[in-house]
Amino acid sequence: MASNRPAPQATLPSYGVPHHTENHVDGEETWEEWNPTEESVRPVRGRHRVAKQRGGLGRSSTVLGVGVIAAVGAGGIATAQDKPAISISLPDLPDSFTDSLPDAKSLPGVGPFMSDDSGSGSRAGTSGEAVLAAAPLTTAGVTTVDAQQGTTDAGEALRARILQQAEQQQAAADAGVKLAAEKEAAEKAAAEAKQQQTAAEAEAAEEKREAEEKKRQAEEEAARKAEEERLAKLAASYSLPTSSYTLTSTYGQSGSMWSSGQHTGLDFAAPTGTPVKAVHGGTIKSAGWSGSYGYRIVLELPDGTEVWYCHLSSMTVTSGDVGTGEVIGRVGATGNVTGPHLHLEVHTPGGAGVDPAAWLRGKGLSV
């Protein structure tokens, strides 16, 4: 049996273990106490054989290996199986030293990996391999959900979870983009609908305005036609007081020729003897001399309106009823005048004077 050299740079206490030496001279073996000192310790070089395991897990190298396995299992190193094998080299120790070590099964975290069978080394190795096969190192970090889905490799489980998280994040991002697009489309549709509604309202308002304008124009046209018809009927029942005339003075005109300072009637200048007609059917209220008015005829109409014909040269009808357009006198220059003309005045039933030109136009007559 080849002897191993002591571990480098280590000072071990004396355990009273005899040191085995060989006497090559006489071929006999002798034992002496091994108590290495600093002078006798030298570096270990080369590779040393580990003694074969005998009768279970008794050697320190085996215990250390089981400890490593327990540490790997407890630490959750999922990729242990992918690491290269590491050779462990320890000096051979006598059985008396290994017998003082604790049982491997009593170590924390190691018991589940140990076989109850304390038989031969081959059986122990087989049992250990069965335990490790039942609980492979790569299952560290595999969740129950992963196991239910058939995943036994921690690396694959982590990769699957990463891919699942990536897919979830991508789905969330796609959902956000879709939601933003839907929101933008809804806002655009609402804006277009509002714009269309505004345009429709503006169009309806324009149509309403045009309809109201057309209605107003139609009403005005109807009113104009009705007035024309009314004036036509009035014109048929009213007549101008004379013909072949020239208007020389209007109602309300100022001047010193009139005692009141203003002209109170409408002057129709015409040659003397020009016929003077009744503007409408009525009754001769008075006829005769009237001072500055000269010869005057007062015609009272059915509504009480009085029409004064002044400065007449002669009076044809002095009493009774007359019809529209009937000759009642002739143009003259009697009274306070500067030339032959018909001075026409119109008075309301209350006696107030009005503009004869406006009154005649109101009856459908144009002067």
Side-chain angles (χ1 to χ4, degrees):
M1 177 178 180
S3 63
N4 290 328
R5 295 179 180 178
Q9 302 297 325
T11 303
L12 299 177
S14 176
Y15 293 98
V17 179
H19 178 63
H20 174 262
T21 60
E22 293 181 356
N23 189 346
H24 298 283
V25 177
D26 53 7
E28 295 181 357
E29 295 181 357
T30 62
W31 294 87
E32 63 181 8
E33 183 179 357
W34 178 40
N35 186 12
T37 64
E38 183 177 359
E39 290 80 7
S40 64
V41 176
R42 288 176 297 175
V44 178
R45 293 181 180 86
R47 196 168 185 178
H48 302 275
R49 178 178 59 84
V50 178
K52 182 178 179 181
Q53 178 180 347
R54 296 187 301 274
L57 300 177
R59 290 294 183 179
S60 60
S61 60
T62 305
V63 173
L64 180 59
V66 173
V68 171
I69 294 174
V72 171
I77 301 176
T79 57
Q81 64 178 2
D82 297 332
K83 300 295 181 178
I86 300 176
S87 61
I88 301 174
S89 177
L90 293 175
D92 291 337
L93 298 177
D95 293 339
S96 60
F97 176 75
T98 58
D99 292 340
S100 64
L101 295 177
D103 188 6
K105 294 182 180 181
S106 64
L107 296 177
V110 179
F113 295 95
M114 302 300 296
S115 172
D116 293 336
D117 188 2
S118 59
S120 63
S122 61
R123 293 182 61 188
T126 304
S127 177
E129 293 176 357
V131 171
L132 294 178
L137 295 179
T138 56
T139 60
V142 178
T143 63
T144 305
V145 177
D146 297 333
Q148 292 177 353
Q149 295 177 353
T151 302
T152 58
D153 187 273
E156 289 298 325
L158 178 60
R159 177 177 176 275
R161 285 195 292 271
I162 293 174
L163 292 177
Q164 183 180 8
Q165 292 177 359
E167 292 176 356
Q168 291 175 353
Q169 293 175 356
Q170 184 63 37
D174 295 341
V177 172
K178 182 179 180 181
L179 182 61
E182 292 177 352
K183 182 179 180 181
E184 182 180 0
E187 292 177 351
K188 183 177 180 180
E192 292 179 353
K194 184 176 181 180
Q195 184 178 5
Q196 293 177 357
Q197 182 180 1
T198 303
E201 291 176 353
E203 184 178 358
E206 181 65 18
E207 292 179 353
K208 183 179 179 181
R209 188 191 64 79
E210 292 178 355
E212 291 178 351
E213 181 65 18
K214 290 180 180 179
K215 181 180 179 181
R216 184 187 63 80
Q217 293 177 356
E219 291 176 351
E220 291 179 354
E221 182 66 18
R224 185 184 63 80
K225 290 182 178 180
E227 183 65 14
E228 289 178 353
E229 292 176 359
R230 185 186 71 82
L231 294 176
K233 292 179 180 180
L234 289 175
S237 59
Y238 283 84
S239 175
L240 289 175
T242 189
S243 60
S244 301
Y245 61 87
T246 300
L247 296 177
T248 56
S249 298
T250 59
Y251 179 80
Q253 185 177 345
S254 300
S256 58
M257 296 182 297
W258 303 286
S259 58
S260 64
Q262 290 183 340
H263 194 227
T264 57
L266 184 63
D267 288 348
F268 295 83
T272 300
T274 302
V276 174
K277 304 172 184 179
V279 295
H280 190 62
T283 302
I284 301 299
K285 185 176 182 179
S286 65
W289 184 262
S290 182
S292 61
Y293 285 109
Y295 288 106
R296 180 189 70 173
I297 295 176
V298 177
L299 175 65
E300 185 178 18
L301 303 182
D303 62 356
T305 302
E306 293 182 356
V307 181
W308 294 2
Y309 298 86
C310 306
H311 308 304
L312 298 177
S313 61
S314 63
M315 297 177 289
T316 306
V317 179
T318 58
S319 63
D321 295 333
V322 295
T324 301
E326 185 178 344
V327 176
I328 59 175
R330 295 188 182 275
V331 176
T334 59
N336 186 13
V337 295
T338 58
H341 67 279
L342 170 65
H343 177 81
L344 184 71
E345 291 187 12
V346 177
H347 296 263
T348 64
V354 296
D355 184 1
W359 185 83
L360 290 172
R361 284 192 297 268
K363 304 304 179 182
L365 301 175
S366 178
V367 295

